Amino acid sequence: MTQVVTRIAPSPTGYMHIGTARTALFNWLYARGRGGKFLLRIEDTDRARSTPEATEAILGGLEWLGLDYDGTAVSQFERAPRHIEVAQHLLASGKAYKCFATQDEIADFRQQAKAEGRSTLYQSPWRDITDPALHPDVPFVIRIKSPESGLTVIHDQVQGDVNIKNDQLDDMILLRSDGTPVYMLSVVVDDHDMGVTHVIRGDDHLNNAARQMMIYQAMEWPLPIYAHIPLIFGEDGKKLSKRHGATSVLDYALMGYPAAAMRNYLARLGWSHGDDEFFTDQDALNWFDLSGIGKSPARFDHKKLQNLSGQHIAVSDDAALLQEIQHFLTLSSEIDLHQKISTRLLPAMYCLKDRAKTFPELLEKAAFILRERPIEIEKKMEKNVNISSLDMLKTLTPQLQNVSWSRDALEALTGQVAETHGVNFGKLAGPLRAALAGQSVTPSVFDMMLILGRNEAIARLSDMQERGTP
Ligand code: GLU
C-alpha cells in the first residue's frame, strides 16, 4: 500500500483559526496513525496578507498543539514557476487554450445569455481557434478545456458521492493575463508534486474539488482521496466567529488550556469514536478514521472544553504539567513567578491539579505557596478572624510543635481542638485557611500544612493571632 501523505495548506491570515487547527489535527492524526507523512504548505500567494508574522502565527499554533510536520514548510508563492509550467504543458497538449476575450466581451456574453435565459457561464469562442495565425497580438489568459457534458463525481469520504454536472463548470482560467497562476491550479500542482494522497479540509472547499479534479484529469494525474469536513459553528448554530469568543487557537494557549486537552477537544469537534469523550493522543491515533467524521457542523462548546481540560490536568504527570505551566507563564510573560515556581510547585502538584480546569485556576490554588509572610487576608476571608476562632488557633498552635507531620495526625489533632471548643471541624477550617492562605480558593487545609511544612504553617498561624481581629 502506498504511504499516506496528508497536508495542511493554510492561507496566512495573521492568526491560526480554530477551524484550521482542527483540520491540521485531523490530517496529522490520519497520517501519523498510519505511519504516513503530514506536510505543511503555506498558501501565501496573497502577497499583502502573507507577512512573516502571519506565517509565524501558523507555525506557532502548530507548535503549541504539538502537530509536527515532515520536512520544511512549502511556500506556494515560490512555486509559481512550476504552476506556470503545468499550464504551459496543458496548452501545448491541447487541453488548454489561449483566450483573448476582453472584459467587455465577457460582460456582453453574460448579458445576452441572461436575456435569452441561457447559462451565463462564459463560453469562449477561442476554445477551438487553435491556429496561431488567427490569434491577435493582445493580452490573453490561459483557460482549461472543461468537459462539455457528463458528470464529475467527487467520491468524498465524508459527504459521500457528490455529483456535479459538467455543463456547470466553465473553462476555468489557469493563468491570468499577467501570467500569474490562479489559486486552483497552484493547489493541484502542489498537492500532486508533494505526493498528497488524502485531501482533508473544510467543506467550504467542496466546490473547488470539482474544478481541481478537472486539472488532475487533464494532467492524467491520480486523484487524491477527498474528505471535506463540515465547518465549526458557535453555540448558537452560526458559523464560528469572533462574536462567539476566541477563534484563534493561541488564545486558548493564553487562557491556560493544556495542549493535550485542546487536541482531545478539537478531535471531538466533528469526529467521534463511540461515546468516548476523554482520550489520550495514543487513543486518538489508534482510533481516528475518516468514517468517524460527521456530516453536520460541529458546535464549539466551551463548557466541554473546560471539562476535558480539567480531566487532562488531573491525570497529567506532575513534572510534565509543571513544564507546561512554565511555558504558559512565559507566553503570558509572568517571568517572575516562572522562576520561583519550579522548585516550590512540584511537591504540591498532586493536590493543585485536582479540579483545576485551566492553568490560571491551578495557579490560583497555588498562590498560598508563593505568598510571603505576614500574608494578607482577603476581605471576604476576614469573617474567619474573630475572638473565638483566634482562641481555637491559640489552642492548636503550640500542639503543632510536637504532632507528627502527617495527614492522619493533623486530622486527629485539629478534630480534637474543634471538639474541645465545642464546634465541628468546619468552624476551624475557615480560620486555618485564612491564616495559611489568606484566600478561599486553596487545596485542603491539611494539604496546605503538609506542603508548607511545620515551621511555615506555625508561623502563619502565629502571625494571624498576633495581628488579632480586624
Ligand atoms: N488555503 C485554504 C484555506 O486556508 C486551504 C486550501 C486547501 O486545503 O486545499 O482555507
Side-chain angles (χ1 to χ4, degrees):
M1 230 181 88
T2 50
Q3 189 187 36
V4 166
V5 181
T6 67
R7 52 54 161 190
I8 173 91
S11 313
T13 53
Y15 70 104
M16 191 188 214
H17 191 271
I18 287 286
T20 311
R22 185 204 40 177
T23 305
L25 176 69
F26 281 15
N27 278 281
W28 182 85
L29 284 172
Y30 193 79
R32 294 279 182 258
R34 289 164 181 75
K37 284 190 172 164
F38 169 63
L39 309 177
L40 170 65
R41 177 171 76 239
I42 308 286
E43 303 216 311
D44 52 356
T45 43
D46 177 347
R47 299 316 287 158
R49 300 190 98 178
S50 303
T51 58
E53 294 76 35
T55 300
E56 263 324 300
I58 294 164
L59 299 179
L62 288 174
E63 191 183 341
W64 177 63
L65 278 173
L67 305 182
D68 58 322
Y69 53 91
D70 291 287
T72 47
V74 171
S75 154
Q76 185 159 69
F77 174 73
E78 284 173 16
R79 290 181 37 84
R82 167 69 179 143
H83 307 149
I84 295 167
E85 180 186 296
V86 169
Q88 294 296 351
H89 173 82
L90 288 173
L91 183 65
S93 60
K95 306 246 174 78
Y97 60 93
K98 293 180 180 175
C99 170
F100 299 88
T102 64
Q103 290 303 324
D104 287 347
E105 283 165 0
I106 296 173
D108 288 348
F109 173 93
R110 293 221 165 100
Q111 212 174 17
Q112 200 176 340
K114 204 169 168 188
E116 292 169 12
R118 288 186 288 114
S119 160
T120 55
L121 286 180
Y122 184 59
Q123 289 175 315
S124 172
W126 297 102
R127 179 172 165 130
D128 300 312
I129 308 178
T130 45
D131 181 357
L134 299 173
H135 286 171
D137 187 18
V138 295
F140 58 88
V141 298
I142 294 184
R143 289 183 187 271
I144 192 165
K145 286 187 183 167
S146 69
E148 285 167 307
S149 58
L151 276 182
T152 292
V153 185
I154 309 166
H155 297 295
D156 194 273
Q157 299 298 301
V158 176
Q159 315 283 340
D161 279 0
V162 180
N163 297 330
I164 299 191
K165 285 194 183 137
N166 287 336
D167 61 11
Q168 300 296 309
L169 302 170
D170 61 359
D171 289 351
M172 173 175 74
I173 294 177
L174 299 176
L175 290 190
R176 301 184 188 89
S177 57
D178 63 2
T180 56
V182 299
Y183 167 72
M184 218 67 87
L185 171 66
S186 304
V187 170
V188 172
V189 177
D190 289 346
D191 280 342
H192 171 264
D193 289 2
M194 291 164 76
V196 172
T197 58
H198 292 71
V199 170
I200 306 168
R201 62 186 175 193
D203 68 6
D204 47 338
H205 290 280
L206 182 62
N207 283 332
N208 290 347
R211 292 166 154 264
Q212 291 172 359
M213 280 168 69
M214 235 155 58
I215 303 174
Y216 279 102
Q217 274 147 6
M219 288 301 291
E220 295 172 24
W221 285 340
L223 286 172
I225 290 168
Y226 286 112
H228 287 93
I229 11 173
L231 299 182
I232 302 171
F233 282 0
E235 276 156 53
D236 57 359
K238 303 218 169 84
K239 195 177 155 185
L240 192 69
S241 72
K242 292 240 160 81
R243 269 181 316 115
H244 297 105
T247 52
S248 157
V249 75
L250 281 181
D251 285 344
Y252 290 85
L254 287 170
M255 284 185 246
Y257 288 105
M262 201 65 193
R263 285 194 293 274
N264 184 165
Y265 181 67
L266 288 177
R268 279 288 292 110
L269 214 46
W271 170 80
S272 58
H273 180 267
D275 292 331
D276 295 303
E277 291 294 346
F278 173 84
F279 43 79
T280 63
D281 289 330
Q282 198 49 54
D283 292 332
L285 285 164
N286 293 341
W287 296 338
F288 187 83
D289 205 355
L290 302 178
S291 58
I293 301 176
K295 270 191 184 189
S296 40
R299 286 189 189 215
F300 198 91
D301 179 345
H302 283 93
K303 277 246 158 57
K304 200 159 141 184
L305 169 61
Q306 283 180 354
N307 190 311
L308 282 176
S309 176
Q311 294 184 58
H312 276 274
I313 290 177
V315 302
S316 289
D317 169 75
D318 292 353
L321 188 56
L322 182 62
Q323 214 173 20
E324 210 174 344
I325 291 173
Q326 282 171 328
H327 179 67
F328 162 72
L329 290 170
T330 322
L331 278 181
S332 49
S333 55
E334 292 191 37
I335 303 297
D336 213 19
L337 196 55
H338 172 220
Q339 281 156 354
K340 268 197 202 164
I341 62 168
S342 35
T343 46
R344 299 173 67 182
L345 248 52
L346 196 55
M349 208 47 104
Y350 75 94
C351 65
L352 299 174
K353 68 186 184 183
D354 187 36
R355 280 195 284 271
K357 293 193 289 296
T358 58
F359 297 147
E361 280 188 21
L362 186 153
L363 287 166
E364 189 184 6
K365 273 171 81 180
F368 79 97
I369 304 173
L370 306 168
R371 294 249 153 96
E372 301 288 346
R373 289 183 43 224
I375 59 168
E376 233 177 86
I377 295 176
E378 70 180 26
K379 224 93 222 84
K380 67 173 178 197
M381 287 303 277
E382 278 181 354
K383 63 173 190 290
N384 293 293
V385 192
N386 50 49
I387 310 242
S388 69
S389 72
L390 290 177
D391 218 31
M392 282 193 276
L393 294 188
K394 207 164 151 195
T395 313
L396 174 66
T397 313
Q399 299 191 59
L400 288 175
Q401 291 290 359
N402 302 315
V403 70
S404 126
W405 207 250
S406 70
R407 183 182 304 269
D408 286 350
L410 289 169
E411 271 182 22
L413 175 60
T414 49
Q416 264 167 31
V417 170
E419 205 182 311
T420 321
H421 284 258
V423 295
N424 58 23
F425 172 71
K427 283 269 182 304
L428 177 55
L432 274 174
R433 177 166 284 115
L436 294 170
Q439 67 178 57
S440 57
V441 182
T442 69
S444 81
V445 291
F446 304 113
D447 284 321
M448 286 197 283
M449 288 199 263
L450 292 171
I451 291 159
L452 291 171
R454 191 190 304 268
N455 292 344
E456 180 70 13
I458 290 176
R460 290 188 184 197
L461 296 190
S462 307
D463 285 347
M464 192 159 104
Q465 291 160 65
E466 258 163 51
R467 197 163 4 164
T469 53

